[in-house]
Amino acid sequence: MNDTPRGNLTIRTLAMPADSNPSGDIFGGWVLSQMDIAAGICAVERARCRTVTVALDSMSFILPVKIGDVLCVYTELIGVGNTSIDIHVEAWSQRGRTGNEKKVTEAKFKFVALDDDGRPTPVPK
Ligand SMILES: CC(C)(COP(=O)(O)OP(=O)(O)OC[C@H]1O[C@@H](n2cnc3c(N)ncnc32)[C@H](O)[C@@H]1OP(=O)(O)O)[C@@H](O)C(=O)NCCC(=O)NCCS
């Protein structure tokens, strides 16, 4: 497995008790949410307008995230269509004081650029 994150560090955040189930395992949906936020930042930087998530490919979680882990989300722009933008997103977890990061999951997100009326609009060249 690749041990180096792919893309730019876009979000670092702490996994808190409110993000976990009663056993202390962080909800996958919380991780997915952070990935969506990071991809949204990347999409807006490219489109320079309002964007929405339209699709993402299948995901599986390789390792658990625990309370107190630092979740690091990396994004890489991998394609631009007419109104859409594809972004590769990886979530890595830092546990303890070693600073070592381990990959938790990855996915490809697709965002669509919207005009002020919420209609798809071309992504600038
Ligand atoms: C995004 C949205 C405006 C697209 O509307 P639409 O009528 O499908 O628009 P279009 O057919 O013109 O497609 C726009 C682009 O999205 C892509 N697209 C649309 N639906 C897609 C899907 N299900 N999967 C992958 N790509 C899709 C199209 O290929 C097109 O890309 P391109 O312009 O680069 O070729 C509309 O589907 C929408 O509002 N979805 C909800 C988005 C949202 O709210 N997300 C957050 C959920 S809480």
Side-chain angles (χ1 to χ4, degrees):
M1 186 193 300
N2 197 343
D3 59 4
T4 307
R6 174 178 162 192
N8 300 315
L9 180 61
T10 310
I11 283 183
R12 286 181 86 218
T13 188
L14 191 61
M16 299 291 279
D19 308 315
S20 76
N21 64 21
S23 306
D25 297 305
I26 296 297
F27 289 117
W30 179 78
V31 175
L32 173 57
S33 170
Q34 302 308 312
M35 294 169 74
D36 195 22
I37 292 168
I41 292 170
C42 180
V44 167
E45 282 175 353
R46 177 61 182 82
R48 289 184 241 111
C49 66
R50 175 180 169 189
T51 65
V52 280
T53 316
V54 68
L56 65 145
D57 62 6
S58 68
M59 283 175 62
S60 50
F61 291 90
I62 306 160
L63 291 174
V65 178
K66 301 284 188 183
I67 294 170
D69 286 0
V70 175
L71 189 77
C72 304
V73 185
Y74 296 82
T75 60
E76 182 181 88
L77 190 86
I78 53 172
V80 178
N82 178 30
T83 66
S84 67
I85 297 172
D86 289 327
I87 299 162
H88 176 80
V89 184
E90 295 188 354
W92 290 64
S93 179
Q94 261 180 356
R95 188 164 306 157
R97 297 178 185 169
T98 62
N100 288 344
E101 291 183 28
K102 295 194 169 164
K103 184 155 74 175
V104 172
T105 188
E106 64 182 17
K108 187 179 88 173
F109 284 70
K110 187 181 280 280
F111 278 70
V112 174
L114 300 180
D115 64 19
D116 290 341
D117 297 319
R119 287 185 298 257
T121 189
V123 177
K125 295 293 173 212

